[in-house]
Amino acid sequence: MKATEVIDDLRRRFPNEPEYLQAVEEVVTSIEDVYNEHPEFERYNLIERLCLPDRIISFRVSWVDDKGQVHNNMGYRIQHNNAIGPYKGGIRFHASVNQSILKFLAFEQTFKNSLTTLPMGGGKGGSDFSPKGKSDMEVMRFCQAFMTELYRHIGPDEDVPAGDIGVGGREIGYLYGQYKRIRNCYEGVLTGKGMSYGGSLIRPEATGYGAVYYLQEVLKHENDTIEGKRLAISGYGNVGWGIMKKAAELGAKVTYFAGPDGYIHDPDGVTGEKLDYILEMRAKDPMHCKPYADKYGVEFVAGEKCWGVKDVDVYMPAATQNDVRMESAEKIAASGVKYYIEVANMPTTNDALNFLRGQKHMVVAPSKAVNAGGVGVSGLEMSQNSERLSWTAEEVDAQLHKMMKNIHKVSAEAAEEYGLGYDLVAGANIAGFKKVAEAMYEQGVF
Ligand code: 2IT
């Protein structure tokens, strides 16, 4: 099947999965040239095979709350592709989770993991359970119930989950405890673990740090530097916080950040003890950012996002998927800001992304490259677990930095090779695709 036929076919078969179709369309349209260059790929119907997940596991998760009430959530694991390594990708606990969202995330993860150069296939899982507002004991009971089914589908050489939205150190701990109890086996089956039981230094910061390292490479390419740069971001979860911290360390600053209730403008930047306050704020339910404005006497704009503000140099959407739609993209383009660096998985709708890529004054970078440092350090955690050693923070950070430089380099080179200029979006798709496609081709039809 031709690339465009694959998209039409998937649209017909999965009409109720808009996020999945969106992610597929974004990638498939940009790898068409590479695909057409390889008639053997078409003979092997390789694109369609790469778009369809290897396996979808779904199950009911029943658990008991503190009042003795029974709740039933849905649990999922999408094992998308293991051509280049065991399935690898996070688990998301959020009320919005459904099969379409997890299929898009697992699909994206496959290309992202390929870009890291580490041997990791793509997968994603989760549940429509939200830990927000639940007690520790309720979260623990939920995680134990979730793992009681999931354990039979995962393993250190089979499928290695990690965190994502709603799954942090606490959840990973409970999930790991239950896996170990059932399997009676102490092994590196999850990443993002605590430091006392096999976690890696720098993993919590890795996605945000990696995004800033990637930004540095983009700036270098444009004969620019990070010093003094003002960043506007959305989201101040794990990833946003990492960006704030690394930016401050390198002489840049986050001057705008948005949360669910509106956005903050702090011209001095989020630095020093304000970073600790962010941690405090994000643990609250509901997760509002207004208290930051009250505490530090800065501006808060209710109900708005910070897209379109002019007194910044870089925009970095770091909240969740489809945060930036056409209306925001138009404001972003009109603001004159040059750098649009996606961080959250698929934060831009396809029409908005294509619109921004078409702006001559802008450089646009895709999330699957920019946020790959998170799973990259998960890969390093797997290596440390396999050799039963722990590396120093400096060692992990140096490897992360090297990885991000390389991802930028191979993406830029791939785009150049296909005559696309400095197109980091297409470049990341092409570079990520090539490795997985070659591995699938060489391994035959499976
Ligand atoms: O979207 C992502 O790359 C993650 N949530 C991290 C996955 C991982 O396995 O560390």
Side-chain angles (χ1 to χ4, degrees):
M1 253 196 259
K2 295 263 175 254
T4 42
E5 288 168 359
V6 172
I7 300 173
D8 289 342
D9 187 50
L10 294 178
R11 265 208 203 98
R12 187 181 52 73
R13 293 163 77 182
F14 306 103
N16 301 320
E17 299 188 348
E19 293 86 1
Y20 168 63
L21 294 172
Q22 179 186 340
V24 165
E25 186 171 351
E26 195 273 313
V27 171
V28 171
T29 48
S30 69
I31 56 169
E32 226 174 329
D33 287 348
V34 189
Y35 188 64
N36 292 338
E37 235 178 48
H38 293 269
E40 72 279 15
F41 285 178
E42 195 182 336
R43 190 156 37 86
Y44 271 55
N45 210 350
L46 205 133
I47 291 216
E48 191 182 36
R49 268 202 295 139
L50 184 46
C51 290
L52 293 167
D54 289 354
R55 194 171 297 107
I56 297 178
I57 298 146
S58 62
F59 47 95
R60 172 172 48 76
V61 186
S62 297
W63 57 283
V64 185
D65 72 15
D66 289 344
K67 297 195 188 87
Q69 267 290 313
V70 175
H71 298 265
N72 300 306
N73 287 98
M74 281 306 294
Y76 306 89
R77 185 72 182 165
I78 315 289
Q79 295 181 334
H80 191 84
N81 188 292
N82 67 352
I84 64 168
Y87 303 107
K88 177 86 196 88
I91 291 177
R92 178 176 293 190
F93 289 166
H94 192 268
S96 65
V97 163
N98 58 37
Q99 199 160 293
S100 171
I101 289 181
L102 294 179
K103 275 174 74 178
F104 114 63
L105 288 163
F107 174 81
E108 286 283 293
Q109 196 80 46
T110 302
F111 299 93
K112 181 196 313 195
N113 293 3
S114 164
L115 285 170
T116 66
T117 71
L118 300 174
M120 300 185 288
K124 202 86 186 190
S127 173
D128 56 0
F129 166 85
S130 173
K132 286 272 177 213
K134 307 286 191 305
S135 71
D136 282 350
M137 287 299 128
E138 288 174 332
V139 171
M140 183 177 81
R141 286 194 291 274
F142 176 81
C143 288
Q144 290 177 341
F146 183 84
M147 186 53 90
T148 301
E149 173 61 33
L150 186 69
Y151 86 93
R152 57 185 103 239
H153 310 289
I154 62 175
D157 296 311
E158 193 176 344
D159 184 352
V160 184
D164 192 80
I165 294 170
V167 178
R170 177 184 59 171
E171 288 76 15
I172 292 291
Y174 295 150
L175 291 165
Y176 191 71
Q178 182 71 351
Y179 178 86
K180 201 166 51 60
R181 176 157 75 168
I182 299 173
R183 278 261 160 108
N184 192 23
C185 189
Y186 195 99
E187 55 189 6
V189 69
L190 296 174
T191 61
K193 299 187 291 301
M195 283 314 299
S196 57
Y197 62 97
S200 173
L201 287 164
I202 309 288
R203 177 63 191 90
E205 297 91 345
T207 313
Y209 281 18
V212 176
Y213 292 148
Y214 185 98
L215 169 64
Q216 275 187 298
E217 295 308 298
V218 173
L219 293 166
K220 218 183 283 169
H221 181 273
E222 300 297 296
N223 294 319
D224 208 342
T225 62
I226 190 135
E227 279 94 45
K229 287 284 175 292
R230 298 155 305 170
L231 278 43
I233 72 175
S234 61
Y236 52 95
N238 191 40
V239 178
W241 174 76
I243 294 173
M244 290 167 172
K245 210 165 156 228
K246 185 49 82 178
E249 227 175 274
L250 295 175
K253 56 191 178 184
V254 171
T255 53
Y256 285 88
F257 66 92
D261 55 332
Y263 73 81
I264 297 283
H265 178 208
D266 181 353
D268 295 333
V270 187
T271 53
E273 63 112 7
K274 292 174 186 168
L275 286 163
D276 299 327
Y277 187 63
I278 295 280
L279 288 181
E280 223 178 280
M281 221 166 57
R282 85 169 188 223
K284 295 258 163 66
D285 184 41
M287 189 172 146
H288 282 170
C289 60
K290 185 174 180 292
Y292 183 100
D294 299 339
K295 188 171 165 75
Y296 296 108
V298 296
E299 189 188 359
F300 169 72
V301 179
E304 301 268 331
K305 293 177 179 171
C306 52
W307 312 130
V309 294
K310 291 189 172 61
D311 50 346
V312 293
D313 307 288
V314 186
Y315 293 116
M316 297 178 94
T320 190
Q321 69 272 359
N322 292 333
D323 185 20
V324 177
R325 295 170 181 275
M326 202 52 182
E327 191 195 341
S328 305
E330 281 168 354
K331 286 188 196 158
I332 287 171
S335 74
V337 172
K338 180 171 176 182
Y339 301 103
Y340 181 75
I341 311 291
E342 289 190 334
V343 189
N345 289 311
M346 202 170 76
T348 323
T349 59
N350 283 351
D351 57 345
L353 183 64
N354 288 332
F355 172 76
L356 291 171
R357 287 171 70 194
Q359 303 297 309
K360 294 254 175 329
H361 69 283
M362 292 186 73
V363 177
V364 176
S367 57
K368 65 172 72 65
V370 178
N371 76 27
V375 72
V377 172
S378 274
L380 302 179
E381 182 173 330
M382 288 165 72
S383 305
Q384 293 169 73
N385 293 163
S386 295
E387 60 177 21
R388 296 174 195 271
L389 290 172
S390 308
W391 304 346
T392 62
E394 291 71 28
E395 222 171 325
V396 178
D397 193 38
Q399 291 241 24
L400 168 65
H401 201 159
K402 200 169 97 190
M403 205 177 321
M404 298 315 299
K405 281 183 164 184
N406 185 58
I407 291 172
H408 173 268
K409 182 168 173 279
V410 298
S411 304
E413 283 172 1
E416 202 58 58
E417 189 187 332
Y418 286 87
L420 301 169
Y422 188 51
D423 183 345
L424 295 169
V425 176
N429 287 338
I430 293 169
F433 168 74
K434 271 189 156 176
K435 184 177 175 188
V436 180
E438 269 166 37
M440 286 178 74
Y441 176 67
E442 286 173 22
Q443 291 171 32
V445 176
F446 57 89

